[in-house]
Amino acid sequence: KKLSKQRLSNKIIQLFRNKPGLRANYKQIAGQLGISNKAERNLIIEVLQEMEHNNLLEEFSLGKYRLKAKEGHITGIITMHSQGYAHCISENFAKPIFISHRNLHCALDGDTVKIFLLPIKKEKEPEGIVVEIIERSRKKIVGTIQLTKSFAFLIPDNKKVPYDIFIPPDKLPENLSNNMKATVKITEWTEKMKNPIGEIIDILGFA
């Protein structure tokens, strides 16, 4: 499967976070990540240049990069916004930390997370990347069922949950109808999935 630029960026920043003292060129990074495909190795060069432009990495000598910021991990609670982005509120940081939609990495409103604090840019709000979900806040999500012949989605009532929950065919109760209200629990969700997978635990009837 072709490695996307976003997934590659995540892998590279994770590599530098795990090895804060790493000094490496694109060939060494490719070796560390087990990448031998020529196109993906060339993509590493492009991603490294973008990371330098965004103040994530520093090219301290020709073609060699290191982490620009001092290692900064902060624990806090996610506050989602209906537009899809979020802020992380932490007792250990004075200001809310902005988290873009792509950097949430499956975190939801109210979750306790560990974030990597990006280098703070002048006149911009602090920004971070979710690197670990410590504890899920929402064990159950209520919403409206959108039913097809073979699967369903639950559209959450709470606009702070900006993802529809996918209900697979083997988890559809026989008495389920379109537009019913239901409660689901998330059973699986990884970054490879566009939507969380859920299981219906209670049918609430029609709204």
Side-chain angles (χ1 to χ4, degrees):
K1 187 178 178 180
K2 187 179 178 182
L3 193 63
S4 70
K5 185 185 283 190
Q6 182 58 46
R7 283 188 63 209
L8 182 58
S9 298
N10 291 340
K11 283 177 177 289
I12 291 174
I13 199 64
Q14 189 72 49
L15 176 65
F16 277 98
R17 279 201 303 267
N18 292 339
K19 300 179 179 182
L22 182 66
R23 309 285 189 271
N25 61 27
Y26 86 95
K27 290 181 180 178
Q28 292 165 324
I29 291 169
Q32 293 265 356
L33 297 177
I35 294 173
S36 56
N37 179 285
K38 185 177 179 181
E40 291 179 353
R41 286 165 72 96
N42 288 337
L43 189 60
I44 290 174
I45 298 172
E46 188 178 333
V47 168
L48 289 171
Q49 290 170 347
E50 286 186 8
M51 286 183 164
E52 185 198 19
H53 179 73
N54 291 328
N55 288 321
L56 289 172
L57 299 178
E58 177 184 9
E59 188 178 15
F60 65 95
S61 68
L62 188 61
K64 295 200 81 171
Y65 294 84
R66 63 187 173 193
L67 197 64
K68 188 165 186 178
K70 291 182 178 178
E71 191 70 356
H73 286 100
I74 293 174
T75 299
I77 295 174
I78 291 292
T79 297
M80 288 292 303
H81 304 280
S82 58
Q83 296 92 333
Y85 64 88
H87 283 90
C88 180
I89 311 300
S90 174
E91 294 179 355
N92 303 318
F93 203 81
K95 296 180 179 180
I97 301 159
F98 175 79
I99 315 287
S100 69
H101 182 82
R102 68 178 181 174
N103 289 331
L104 277 167
H105 296 165
C106 302
L108 290 170
D109 186 64
D111 288 353
T112 301
V113 300
K114 181 189 285 186
I115 68 165
F116 175 69
L117 186 65
L118 299 176
I120 297 174
K121 298 177 182 178
K122 205 171 183 180
E123 297 179 359
K124 288 198 173 184
E125 63 180 331
E127 185 174 354
I129 301 170
V130 174
V131 295
E132 181 185 349
I133 297 169
I134 297 169
E135 185 179 2
R136 285 281 187 200
S137 167
R138 298 181 185 278
K139 310 297 182 187
K140 301 174 183 178
I141 297 173
V142 176
T144 303
I145 293 293
Q146 296 292 310
L147 191 63
T148 72
K149 289 182 179 180
S150 56
F151 61 87
F153 280 99
L154 179 114
I155 316 300
D157 287 348
N158 192 327
K159 299 306 178 189
K160 288 188 175 184
V161 182
Y163 308 94
D164 298 337
I165 316 300
F166 176 75
I167 317 294
D170 60 331
K171 299 297 182 184
L172 293 177
E174 290 184 6
N175 60 338
L176 189 68
S177 298
N178 197 37
N179 293 323
M180 274 186 164
K181 287 286 185 182
T183 304
V184 304
K185 66 175 180 180
I186 293 175
T187 56
E188 187 180 0
W189 195 16
T190 67
E191 289 184 46
K192 294 179 181 179
M193 301 173 181
K194 184 178 179 181
N195 297 82
I197 294 176
E199 180 179 344
I200 294 174
I201 55 175
D202 193 13
I203 296 175
L204 307 174
F206 290 100

